[in-house]
Amino acid sequence: MKETIAPCTDTRLQEKVPLIHYQVAMSQPETHLFEVTLRLGGYNASTLDLKMPVWTPGSYLVREYAKHLQDFAAFANKKPLTWRKISKNHWQVETGDVSEVTVKYRIFANELTVRTNHLDATHGYFNGAALFFRLPGFDRQPIYVTIVPPRPEWQVTTALPAVPEQANTFFASDFDTLVDSPFEIGSHQLYHFDVLGKPHELAIWGRGNFRVQQIIADIKKIVEVEARMFGGLPYERYVFVLHLFAQAYGGLEHKNSCSLIYQRFGFRDRDKYDRFIQLVAHEFFHLWNVKRIRPQELEVFDYDQENYTSCLWFCEGTTSYYDLLIPLRAGIYDVKSFLNNWGKEVTRYLTTPGRKVQALSESSFDAWIKLYRQDANSGNSQMSYYLKGEMVSLLLDLLIRSHHDNQRSLDDVMLKMWQKFGRDEIGYTPQQLQQVIESVAEIDLSDFFKRYIDNTDELPFNQYLEPFGLQIVAETEQEPYLGIRVSSEHGREVIKFVEAGSPAQLAGIDAGDELLAIDGVKVSASHLSDRLKDYQPNDTISVAVFHHEELRIYPVTLAFPRASKYLVQTVDNPSDLQKQNFSGWLGASLTSMR
Ligand SMILES: [Zn+2]
């Protein structure tokens, strides 16, 4: 879709469609309040409905953005108009026969995440879904946004095109585009660079130990590798917004931009830098997968309620598989790092008991009530569609590759999904997704989908890895198995997780209990593993905890040690075919792994 830039003073008034113009001011940023003014011209109905979205695409949780709204007022010819609330996020203004309406409100913005709003003395950041009203019936109308920064040195960065000769004024071709284009306002560092002839910007808020030239060089490589996969860049300009602060991590994808949050001192350590680069590769990959290649249920966003889809495993999990693979292809890290990183993901997967309870398609469908709403039972009852989706995507890639001598791969699935659905933004159904994968693989995958996507069968990693000369090897813990995870919180040792069916659970230990002592001696989270190494399987220990402030002492019989770590290793004496398959997949020699 191409955007046309029209000046604010166009002729829509004569066409009997309203001209929608938002102004966003922030005269006292330290109060965290954005001051929003909506000016509506050429309006010709007796009531005006205004609805604040309850969620933002890409983050599947009802966040009730309307809760941050205050001081609502509506005017015509400077006189107040009557209004009432219809529901939690729905305001209705009596407009009578006026055609020029002004609506004013303020939005409290003090939540520093990629999908919420944040305003303080250092900057302003907002997402359209959390700041602007949707006008039902006028979703396809263009919208103008003028930003009024509190200080002259504050600049405005957004993927929306600027309206010429109107200071800090931007144009969105419709409401979806407005919601899909977050704003960064402040004295952030702004870098411009071209990739494949197209302009890109990187806006960085916050100090950190990054080297900007390294980040830009690596971003360029990622953009090039992903563009090559999909046959070019489907945008005219792209913006990366990067927020840096303490122990932060997160990203949100958009069509022509992405927002990233990362720890400010996470750029020198190699592993941490790799994780940052994977985040970039992930959000950028989404500009195709999920922003343009969308499940049918996300083809038209319903901003009033949950949009259920069973395909998030493909949107997020496949994107997660590629966020590991792309930096390898871009030469940012080597094949050892790739397999190390993947081994860590396999470990996370195989040590999550919920994989035996929740199927991948169900995890996707229930994202709204489960993945985004973790509790003490989540590990026992849920499987992340990111993590298992990534595992399943790797298996599908290996399956296609081994059936076609590496001449076909999951890349062909992505390209086909792009050509068939993404380019014209036609939503796909789960059946169409399966058909595309099957058409590339030339294999009937109904059994695969039934077992690994719609049910909870264990994934046969080694069966799929063996043709590529690799295997997953379990490393067993030294200590006997108790089955709890503990963390130190303000001097208290809190049991965060009790594994279903573990000795700890069978004995009665509960998540939330405060761990005090084992066999009468104080124990801390950091020393728990060492303390357990002094015991043997079948030994009975006494575990003292506070359960709701009451002292409880449980006898617990320890079990045999469990595998706590899984490594990806090469098979012994790999054949020529295995070596060939490996290098066809990862572009490196299998013997380099030894
Ligand atoms: Zn994602």
Side-chain angles (χ1 to χ4, degrees):
M1 196 190 328
K2 283 240 159 95
E3 287 164 342
T4 49
I5 301 173
C8 231
T9 49
D10 68 6
T11 53
R12 284 197 177 77
L13 294 181
Q14 293 147 21
E15 295 164 10
K16 293 284 179 204
V17 288
L19 181 70
I20 307 168
H21 190 154
Y22 277 103
Q23 177 190 281
V24 182
M26 53 214 85
S27 59
Q28 295 175 286
E30 57 286 349
T31 65
H32 309 295
L33 287 165
F34 281 114
E35 301 135 20
V36 187
T37 305
L38 163 63
R39 290 200 177 84
L40 204 56
Y43 193 69
N44 62 358
S46 58
T47 54
L48 168 66
D49 290 287
L50 302 156
K51 294 182 103 177
M52 181 70 55
V54 304
W55 71 290
T56 195
S59 184
Y60 308 98
L61 177 67
V62 170
R63 288 182 196 275
E64 311 290 20
Y65 292 124
K67 75 180 177 186
H68 298 300
L69 190 149
Q70 63 185 67
D71 307 322
F72 182 94
F75 308 88
N77 304 318
K78 297 188 178 166
K79 288 183 189 134
L81 293 172
T82 307
W83 58 271
R84 63 184 183 127
K85 278 198 80 173
I86 306 292
S87 71
K88 63 182 180 182
N89 66 325
H90 184 177
W91 282 251
Q92 192 175 65
V93 181
E94 299 294 333
T95 46
D97 55 2
V98 300
S99 62
E100 307 281 318
V101 184
T102 300
V103 174
K104 285 176 177 280
Y105 56 96
R106 297 200 290 172
I107 295 279
F108 183 72
N110 195 23
E111 203 178 346
L112 188 48
T113 78
V114 289
R115 62 284 227 244
T116 48
N117 300 336
H118 189 249
L119 174 65
D120 68 9
T122 67
H123 84 144
Y125 169 79
F126 67 79
N127 280 283
L131 197 83
F132 298 120
F133 279 119
R134 187 173 72 84
L135 279 55
F138 300 106
D139 299 87
R140 311 312 305 167
Q141 280 301 115
I143 299 155
Y144 295 89
V145 179
T146 299
I147 305 292
V148 185
R151 289 192 263 287
E153 67 273 20
W154 279 27
Q155 57 190 335
V156 182
T157 300
T158 176
L160 291 180
V163 176
E165 293 167 28
Q166 297 200 34
N168 291 327
T169 299
F170 302 87
F171 171 81
S173 52
D174 52 35
F175 188 72
D176 286 338
T177 306
L178 181 64
V179 161
D180 193 44
S181 310
F183 280 68
E184 176 66 25
I185 305 145
S187 47
H188 48 273
Q189 302 173 52
L190 186 62
Y191 303 92
H192 297 264
F193 53 96
D194 282 0
V195 195
L196 301 173
K198 294 198 170 166
H200 293 67
E201 287 168 29
L202 169 64
I204 305 179
W205 171 79
R207 287 183 294 170
N209 65 350
F210 60 89
R211 285 192 296 263
V212 77
Q213 290 317 320
Q214 180 191 17
I215 292 180
I216 291 173
D218 287 342
I219 285 178
K220 283 183 177 177
K221 291 178 194 166
I222 286 168
V223 172
E224 283 168 2
V225 169
E226 296 192 13
R228 207 178 304 142
M229 252 185 89
F230 289 98
L233 295 170
Y235 55 75
E236 294 308 315
R237 176 173 153 260
Y238 191 92
V239 177
F240 296 88
V241 174
L242 174 59
H243 290 160
L244 300 178
F245 61 103
Q247 291 300 318
Y249 179 84
L252 188 63
E253 66 276 9
H254 302 286
K255 273 186 181 168
N256 302 326
S257 64
C258 65
S259 298
L260 310 165
I261 286 188
Y262 206 66
Q263 48 184 295
R264 64 168 86 246
F265 297 119
F267 296 88
R268 289 287 161 94
D269 175 88
R270 186 68 228 189
D271 285 348
K272 287 181 183 168
Y273 184 73
D274 287 351
R275 197 156 173 251
F276 168 70
I277 285 301
Q278 286 159 6
L279 179 64
V280 173
H282 183 101
E283 303 309 335
F284 193 74
F285 196 84
H286 271 317
L287 79 88
W288 290 277
N289 193 22
V290 93
K291 291 313 304 185
R292 291 175 172 87
I293 307 171
R294 293 203 295 277
Q296 196 175 54
E297 298 85 352
L298 297 175
E299 190 180 328
V300 177
F301 299 119
D302 182 345
Y303 293 103
D304 284 339
Q305 60 191 338
E306 293 85 348
N307 294 207
Y308 299 102
T309 170
S310 61
C311 292
L312 290 181
W313 71 268
F314 181 74
C315 306
E316 290 299 347
T318 304
T319 300
S320 298
Y321 172 54
Y322 276 103
D323 81 40
L324 281 183
L325 204 53
I326 297 288
L328 170 70
R329 289 184 184 170
I332 298 170
Y333 51 60
D334 64 12
V335 70
K336 273 189 184 169
S337 299
F338 167 78
L339 290 174
N340 254 334
N341 284 326
W342 191 64
K344 286 181 198 160
E345 302 285 82
V346 172
T347 297
R348 273 208 302 139
Y349 172 73
L350 287 173
T351 54
T352 302
R355 76 184 187 284
K356 295 176 185 167
V357 178
Q358 190 186 41
L360 192 47
S361 51
E362 184 192 345
S363 167
S364 169
F365 192 87
D366 279 342
W368 303 86
I369 54 165
K370 294 206 169 174
L371 187 85
Y372 280 91
R373 289 182 172 160
Q374 297 285 305
D375 59 33
N377 192 43
S378 295
N380 286 325
S381 62
Q382 292 183 37
M383 187 66 242
S384 156
Y385 50 82
Y386 283 81
L387 185 55
K388 188 172 179 183
E390 179 188 330
M391 302 290 128
V392 164
S393 299
L394 181 133
L395 295 190
L396 285 170
D397 195 17
L398 297 184
L399 185 67
I400 297 168
R401 286 174 179 277
S402 53
H403 269 73
H404 295 276
D405 294 330
N406 264 318
Q407 297 307 303
R408 288 187 190 182
S409 71
L410 200 60
D411 292 13
D412 297 294
V413 170
M414 294 314 308
L415 187 60
K416 203 162 179 178
M417 288 299 288
W418 167 245
Q419 290 165 343
K420 218 168 145 72
F421 301 104
R423 208 158 40 195
D424 298 325
E425 297 194 38
I426 302 162
Y428 63 85
T429 64
Q431 294 74 24
Q432 287 171 319
L433 172 61
Q434 185 178 332
Q435 279 161 12
V436 167
I437 302 173
E438 286 178 332
S439 71
V440 171
E442 291 183 334
I443 306 169
D444 175 1
L445 292 171
S446 36
D447 186 57
F448 185 100
F449 271 72
K450 194 172 147 208
R451 293 167 72 170
Y452 309 129
I453 291 171
D454 295 330
N455 279 291
T456 57
D457 290 23
E458 285 285 21
L459 299 179
F461 288 115
N462 283 338
Q463 181 194 325
Y464 283 70
L465 285 168
E466 197 268 344
F468 295 81
L470 294 174
Q471 58 186 337
I472 303 276
V473 178
E475 238 178 39
T476 304
E477 277 175 342
Q478 289 172 292
E479 71 263 25
Y481 175 55
L482 173 60
I484 56 174
R485 275 180 225 145
V486 184
S487 92
S488 293
E489 291 177 358
H490 311 294
R492 296 168 71 239
E493 309 303 309
V494 181
I495 298 174
K496 305 300 284 185
F497 179 64
V498 180
E499 192 170 335
S502 65
Q505 195 195 46
L506 296 177
I509 294 171
D510 199 3
D513 287 354
E514 181 182 351
L515 179 64
L516 301 172
I518 288 179
D519 283 342
V521 180
K522 183 175 160 60
V523 64
S524 66
S526 53
H527 292 113
L528 177 63
S529 170
D530 277 344
R531 285 287 300 283
L532 291 172
K533 281 175 192 152
D534 292 338
Y535 297 94
Q536 298 297 318
N538 295 322
D539 282 354
T540 298
I541 59 173
S542 90
V543 178
V545 302
F546 278 136
H547 178 77
H548 296 160
E549 298 90 38
E550 288 181 20
L551 180 65
R552 299 275 176 93
I553 297 173
Y554 297 105
V556 185
T557 303
L558 299 170
F560 280 87
R562 288 289 181 96
S564 61
K565 197 173 173 188
Y566 294 83
L567 303 170
V568 187
Q569 293 183 348
T570 53
V571 298
D572 295 332
N573 307 315
S575 67
D576 286 347
L577 181 62
Q578 285 174 316
K579 288 178 192 165
Q580 200 182 309
N581 284 344
F582 181 90
S583 66
W585 172 33
L586 297 176
S589 154
L590 181 59
T591 44
S592 72
M593 293 299 300
R594 297 191 166 263

